[in-house]
Amino acid sequence: MTSSVPWTDRLSTGTEATQDDVVRWYQSTREGKAYVPTMIWGTLQTEAYATVILGQVVDFLGIPNDVPAGVAKRMQRQRVLYDGEHHYDVVLGEQALYTNIGGPEVMREQIERLLRELGLASLTLGILPSTARVDLFPVHAFNIYGDSDRAHVELVSSSVDITEQSELDLYNKAFTALSSAASYGDAAEVLLKKAHSFWTNTPLRQ
């Protein structure tokens, strides 16, 4: 089964209520997977990065502006990385390290956080190099929750939840292909440090 909810409905009262839902999803998901090609996965975002992202959501959709409350909930969701009860397998596209969210200072701080969290026991973080050969056509971002019982996709106009097993099998197959081509450990650290150097040497005003 596939269900779709327009963002203007789901976020009709602002960002906080939806972040509450996401907190519950993550608290109830002991194992999860995520592929995010062009931005930083929400559960690893810094407060400054998340503030920019949610502010852009508010401006684009014209919804009530409760960004500080939404950001607070997003930071609350990140506790699952430190409680010893969860594990997440995450692949970021290398482009995510260079997509300019908030300018050089925000990006430097964000990449420094990724470097600090690289060794977390709760996290398997891969970086998919922009030049990597992947046995899969380019695909959109997605999350897989629980024991592969739900995939979540965020579109421009709506969020989509997928529970049909045949479709979930394809999402898991796609994640396997993407993670197989990603860099981990020391190789991921090299890519992160390269991006950090880029933002360190980027003027504040562009």
Side-chain angles (χ1 to χ4, degrees):
M1 178 180 175
T2 299
S3 60
S4 174
V5 180
W7 285 120
T8 49
D9 290 348
R10 189 169 176 188
L11 298 173
S12 61
T13 62
T15 63
E16 184 178 14
T18 295
Q19 292 300 309
D20 266 333
D21 291 340
V22 177
V23 168
R24 287 192 290 271
W25 291 346
Y26 276 86
Q27 288 174 340
S28 64
T29 301
R30 300 302 180 187
E31 300 282 338
K33 301 173 184 175
Y35 168 60
V36 194
T38 59
M39 63 180 285
I40 305 303
W41 182 52
T43 310
L44 284 171
Q45 290 175 7
T46 64
E47 184 173 348
Y49 189 105
T51 297
V52 175
I53 290 291
L54 293 186
Q56 291 172 336
V57 169
V58 165
D59 291 343
F60 182 74
L61 294 174
I63 60 174
N65 188 343
D66 66 343
V67 169
V71 170
K73 290 294 182 180
R74 180 159 290 189
M75 296 302 102
Q76 179 184 337
R77 141 187 170 189
Q78 298 182 3
R79 295 175 188 171
V80 296
L81 293 173
Y82 311 106
D83 64 10
E85 298 179 355
H86 297 78
H87 185 270
Y88 302 98
D89 194 347
V90 179
V91 175
L92 299 180
E94 187 177 6
Q95 175 58 44
L97 310 180
Y98 295 93
T99 301
N100 191 340
I101 303 296
E105 288 189 357
V106 173
M107 293 304 299
R108 279 198 301 272
E109 180 187 83
Q110 178 62 70
I111 292 169
E112 286 166 3
R113 179 181 181 184
L114 295 179
L115 284 164
R116 290 195 303 270
E117 309 288 40
L118 199 55
L120 274 178
S122 62
L123 180 67
T124 301
L125 179 61
I127 308 295
L128 183 64
S130 57
T131 57
R133 184 169 179 175
V134 185
D135 292 330
L136 178 71
F137 49 85
V139 298
H140 52 72
F142 60 88
N143 287 269
I144 302 173
Y145 294 105
D147 188 19
S148 300
D149 61 357
R150 183 166 68 94
H152 181 74
V153 179
E154 297 187 348
L155 306 177
V156 171
S157 60
S158 60
S159 63
V160 179
D161 287 302
I162 298 160
T163 55
E164 176 64 41
Q165 190 58 54
S166 61
E167 294 187 62
L168 290 170
D169 290 343
L170 288 176
Y171 276 93
N172 278 290
K173 183 178 181 180
F175 189 84
T176 296
L178 293 160
S179 59
S180 294
S183 296
Y184 293 87
D186 291 344
E189 184 176 359
V190 168
L191 293 172
L192 288 167
K193 287 183 175 178
K194 177 183 174 183
H196 185 266
S197 178
F198 172 83
W199 291 112
T200 299
N201 295 308
T202 299
L204 289 178
R205 296 185 181 274
Q206 301 179 60

